[in-house]
Amino acid sequence: MLQMHHIAKVYRTETVETAALRDFNLSVVQGEFVAVTGPSGSGKSTFLSIAGLVETPSDGRYVLDGIDVSRMNDNQRSHLRNQKIGFIFQAFNLIPDLNLIDNIEVPLGYRGLRAADRRELAHSALAKVGLSGRATHYPGQLSGGQQQRVAIARALAGTPPLLLADEPTGNLDTQMAGGVMELLEELHSGGATIVMVTHDLNLAERAQRIVKVMDGQVSEIQRGTRLHSLD
Ligand code: ADP
Ligand code: ADP
């Protein structure tokens, strides 16, 4: 699903150069649930931005779902991003003055789907996260955990082949975090490929593989507690 070969990323300002990633190598196969963890500043967000076609690597090769995206221009990358990637953010990033269904439809709008199809996909995604009855509610009427479920519905509505989650439980208390994690596990059981960045080692443990990042490199890969369907 995702292969990164010798990826480097250097951020340059007028005065400073920061090597955020250097010789970063990682493969994620279809249907895998991978947690990426490591100290603040180690390069996790940078990895996720490159994986999600938001940033381009300074060097190295990135193959997403069989497509070499290393040399794509901005237009090609954003087109592919809309087709291939569902994002889940720490801060949910729902639009406060759109109701839940309209929020979920936002990314579907970039995929050239007809209005009726968008609506149907959005309702089915909302049902998947257990919030069917709330279609016309607004984000502010929901708890943080519920808002994150809506954000997850938005990410999965177009059935993108890859879900990327950046600290998806970072803004939630332990109980709501547990609920969101269970939802991700359920989606994984249904076949989703998930890459989740988290500081929380207890959550990381629940993935199939734990990728530890240190100083812009993969320092260690461990097995998590979640069973491999290929075993
Ligand atoms: P993490 O997500 O693990 O905290 P990041 O990927 O955000 O790490 O950052 C890795 C390094 O790259 C840090 O030193 C950070 O300050 C730097 N960095 C990240 N994004 C930028 C940017 N847009 N401009 C300059 N430096 C950046
Ligand atoms: P996280 O909490 O996920 O580790 P960070 O706080 O490291 O994220 O970064 C948040 C955002 O700020 C990211 O988009 C990152 O690219 C950007 N960023 C991080 N460090 C710097 C920096 N030194 N200069 C500019 N932007 C940065």
Side-chain angles (χ1 to χ4, degrees):
M1 177 57 60
L2 173 167
Q3 291 150 301
M4 289 191 179
H5 304 281
H6 310 298
I7 292 285
K9 179 66 181 179
V10 180
Y11 289 109
R12 287 191 178 85
T13 62
E14 277 161 37
T15 49
V16 195
E17 268 193 14
T18 308
L21 297 179
R22 54 196 176 97
D23 197 21
F24 190 99
N25 296 287
L26 183 66
S27 289
V28 175
V29 300
Q30 191 176 346
E32 236 192 328
F33 189 172
V34 173
V36 177
T37 190
S40 185
S42 58
K44 304 181 299 295
S45 301
T46 302
F47 154 73
L48 213 60
S49 320
I50 292 174
L53 305 174
V54 176
E55 304 256 20
T56 47
S58 312
D59 198 6
R61 200 157 75 93
Y62 176 29
V63 179
L64 171 64
D65 205 12
I67 303 166
D68 190 335
V69 297
S70 316
R71 311 256 171 285
M72 281 188 170
N73 65 33
D74 288 355
N75 277 339
Q76 292 171 314
R77 270 189 301 118
S78 50
H79 178 76
L80 202 66
R81 181 165 64 235
N82 293 329
Q83 305 297 322
K84 301 286 186 191
I85 311 279
F87 286 103
I88 301 157
F89 306 94
Q90 174 169 3
F92 323 138
N93 296 3
L94 299 172
I95 300 170
D97 41 2
L98 292 183
N99 71 28
L100 304 189
I101 280 297
D102 290 339
N103 261 285
I104 295 171
E105 281 191 31
V106 170
L108 297 174
Y110 297 115
R111 298 180 54 146
L113 294 167
R114 288 168 44 230
D117 294 337
R118 291 203 300 268
R119 188 116 306 205
E120 193 181 323
L121 287 174
H123 276 288
S124 126
L126 196 60
K128 262 190 204 142
V129 303
L131 289 168
S132 290
R134 303 286 200 127
T136 58
H137 286 216
Y138 286 82
Q141 297 174 290
L142 305 183
S143 72
Q146 289 169 328
Q147 290 187 49
Q148 190 60 301
R149 299 177 91 86
V150 175
I152 292 171
R154 177 183 57 189
L156 62 82
T159 52
L162 178 61
L163 288 179
L164 297 178
D166 191 0
E167 300 280 0
T169 62
N171 277 354
L172 302 176
D173 65 31
T174 311
Q175 194 191 343
M176 288 190 196
V180 163
M181 189 64 194
E182 279 163 26
L183 175 58
L184 292 176
E185 287 169 335
E186 209 177 284
L187 296 172
H188 175 244
S189 298
T193 309
I194 303 175
V195 176
M196 171 182 75
V197 164
T198 180
H199 281 99
D200 186 330
L201 291 178
N202 290 319
L203 291 185
E205 270 292 321
R206 287 163 66 171
Q208 290 173 317
R209 279 199 299 156
I210 307 156
V211 174
K212 300 208 164 170
V213 179
M214 197 73 83
D215 296 329
Q217 286 186 307
V218 175
S219 63
E220 199 180 347
I221 298 186
Q222 293 173 349
R223 229 176 149 132
T225 54
R226 193 161 178 80
L227 291 176
H228 281 252
S229 49
L230 302 175
D231 288 356

